[in-house]
Amino acid sequence: MSRRVTAIVWITFWTVAYFVLLSIFSSSGEWQRIDYIYTVIFMTTLMAAVVVNEYFRRRYFASGRYLAWLAIAVADGVAFAAVNDFLFDKVIDYILPGYYFIAYYSHFDLLKFFGAFLGLSTLIGLSMESFQLQKEKSTAEFKALANQVNPHFLFNGLTVLYTLSFNNNNETSSAIIKLSDILRYVIYKSPDNRVSLASEASILRDYIDLQRYRVHPDTKIEYVENLHDDVTIAPMLFLPLLENAFKHGEAVITMELRCEKNVVNFNITNKRTNVRSAPGIGLSNLKERLKLLYPGRHSFRIVETENKFSVNMRISL
């Protein structure tokens, strides 16, 4: 969690706490100047206790010494409750002689105040740290998944080049250029959070052209685009499905990419040549990426028959 967000959370917490305490300490229906001053001084001791608690909590929680932190937290609350009691009972009249302050609460009541604030601040601190850890985990998982996706296109592209060169095909140089364009896109666009949907569609066409060098001339490949919206999307969501179609079925491959009203639909079907082949790592990674990138805003449906394998992916942007 960024420092700015952390600061906003704590400022909000102490602002709400101030007015809650102000309402509690006010002896009349209307807030007087003395109520504001009393609340500020009272809350200063609370803030000091919370700062000390957060310092030791971060250090001791990181090393797993929870009981040691708990002992310090208890001592922290007791000590600052005593400071508060002493401040309002013995010292405040010398600091602000123009006001008549009295200690409203017993030491036991002060312990309850400090215990409540230390407990609430601890929960807030733990919640923010948990959120940060989850965010870092998701980022790490996303990067790991993306890194696993990238090599597949290189392996498949090299297979195409090998096939062409082995057969002394004159189209080898053209295929090298196609593969270069695809790899350039993979390398420079994969790390981006968002790319244009049009660029994703373009790389699909390039990949199809590259694979045409490898597949049988009679292979039927149909690709239809209906992109009504100019939108951005996470990169590398469609290529794994196209790659899977060429890998497991080359007789007939049909696909359609549509986008309308910020909803993207991608359908792809291939005639299966290996019915019992297990799904590749690309499909598993794609499912995980969708969960991380579009939680609750996507669907991923696979339909398998004896002769066909179909995937429908729908994303609400």
Side-chain angles (χ1 to χ4, degrees):
M1 185 173 293
S2 66
R3 292 183 178 180
R4 181 181 179 184
V5 174
T6 300
I8 291 174
V9 170
W10 285 116
I11 290 172
T12 302
F13 171 76
W14 287 114
T15 301
V16 173
Y18 176 81
F19 286 102
V20 170
L21 292 174
L22 184 62
S23 299
I24 294 174
F25 296 154
S26 178
S27 58
S28 62
E30 297 181 359
W31 293 339
Q32 305 296 324
R33 186 177 182 182
I34 191 172
D35 297 322
Y36 291 105
I37 297 174
Y38 182 92
T39 304
V40 168
I41 298 172
F42 192 98
M43 200 168 76
T44 300
T45 60
L46 287 172
M47 293 178 71
V50 168
V51 169
V52 171
N53 176 64
E54 280 296 291
Y55 173 79
F56 284 102
R57 182 189 63 77
R58 293 193 185 102
R59 295 190 62 181
Y60 282 77
F61 260 69
S63 59
R65 294 180 289 174
Y66 307 119
L67 291 179
W69 162 77
L70 184 60
I72 292 176
V74 172
D76 178 36
V78 172
F80 277 98
V83 169
N84 182 285
D85 191 20
F86 180 77
L87 177 65
F88 282 99
D89 189 46
K90 304 295 183 181
V91 180
I92 197 67
D93 291 334
Y94 296 99
I95 300 175
L96 296 171
Y99 295 91
Y100 179 69
F101 289 97
I102 61 173
Y104 287 103
Y105 299 100
S106 66
H107 191 68
F108 180 74
D109 290 329
L110 290 175
L111 288 175
K112 290 190 289 186
F113 269 105
F114 280 83
F117 270 79
L118 290 179
L120 284 173
S121 62
T122 297
L123 290 176
I124 291 174
L126 290 174
S127 297
M128 289 192 294
E129 289 175 4
S130 176
F131 178 84
Q132 179 64 24
L133 288 174
Q134 186 62 39
K135 181 180 179 181
E136 291 174 354
K137 179 183 177 183
S138 297
T139 301
E141 289 175 349
F142 172 79
K143 289 182 179 178
L145 293 172
N147 289 336
Q148 286 180 338
V149 170
N150 293 348
H152 288 274
F153 302 100
L154 177 60
F155 297 152
N156 289 336
L158 291 176
T159 300
V160 172
L161 297 183
Y162 172 78
T163 303
L164 291 176
S165 61
F166 184 79
N167 295 323
N168 295 319
N169 195 306
N170 294 329
E171 298 293 334
T172 302
S173 58
S174 178
I176 291 174
I177 294 175
K178 288 289 184 183
L179 178 59
S180 176
D181 290 339
I182 294 172
L183 290 179
R184 186 180 298 109
Y185 185 88
V186 170
I187 293 171
Y188 291 106
K189 293 300 183 180
S190 289
D192 294 345
N193 292 327
R194 292 290 184 272
V195 297
S196 68
L197 183 60
S199 65
E200 284 287 290
S202 177
I203 210 66
L204 287 178
R205 295 191 297 270
D206 287 343
Y207 190 81
I208 292 171
D209 290 341
L210 180 64
Q211 291 299 316
R212 288 186 189 275
Y213 294 120
R214 182 176 62 86
V215 300
H216 193 277
D218 294 334
T219 300
K220 183 180 180 182
I221 303 173
E222 295 182 357
Y223 173 52
V224 178
E225 289 181 15
N226 289 289
L227 307 182
H228 299 291
D229 296 339
D230 183 17
V231 298
T232 59
I233 195 169
M236 305 291 289
L237 293 179
F238 310 116
L239 270 174
L241 297 175
L242 181 56
E243 176 198 21
N244 186 73
F246 277 106
K247 179 180 179 181
H248 297 291
E250 297 176 356
V252 178
I253 299 174
T254 61
M255 72 201 83
E256 180 182 17
L257 177 62
R258 293 185 291 110
C259 180
E260 189 172 7
K261 298 181 179 179
N262 284 340
V263 177
V264 176
N265 280 281
F266 183 72
N267 298 282
I268 185 165
T269 301
N270 62 270
K271 185 175 181 181
R272 305 184 71 164
T273 58
N274 187 355
V275 177
R276 297 186 178 276
S277 60
I281 191 173
L283 290 184
S284 298
N285 285 346
L286 179 57
K287 292 179 182 179
E288 293 301 317
R289 290 187 67 204
L290 288 170
K291 290 179 182 178
L292 293 173
L293 295 168
Y294 299 100
R297 295 188 289 127
H298 77 278
S299 63
F300 189 88
R301 188 167 58 94
I302 296 176
V303 178
E304 297 184 70
T305 65
E306 184 178 354
N307 298 318
K308 289 185 179 181
F309 184 89
S310 300
V311 177
N312 171 259
M313 181 168 60
R314 184 177 185 275
I315 302 173
S316 296
L317 302 176

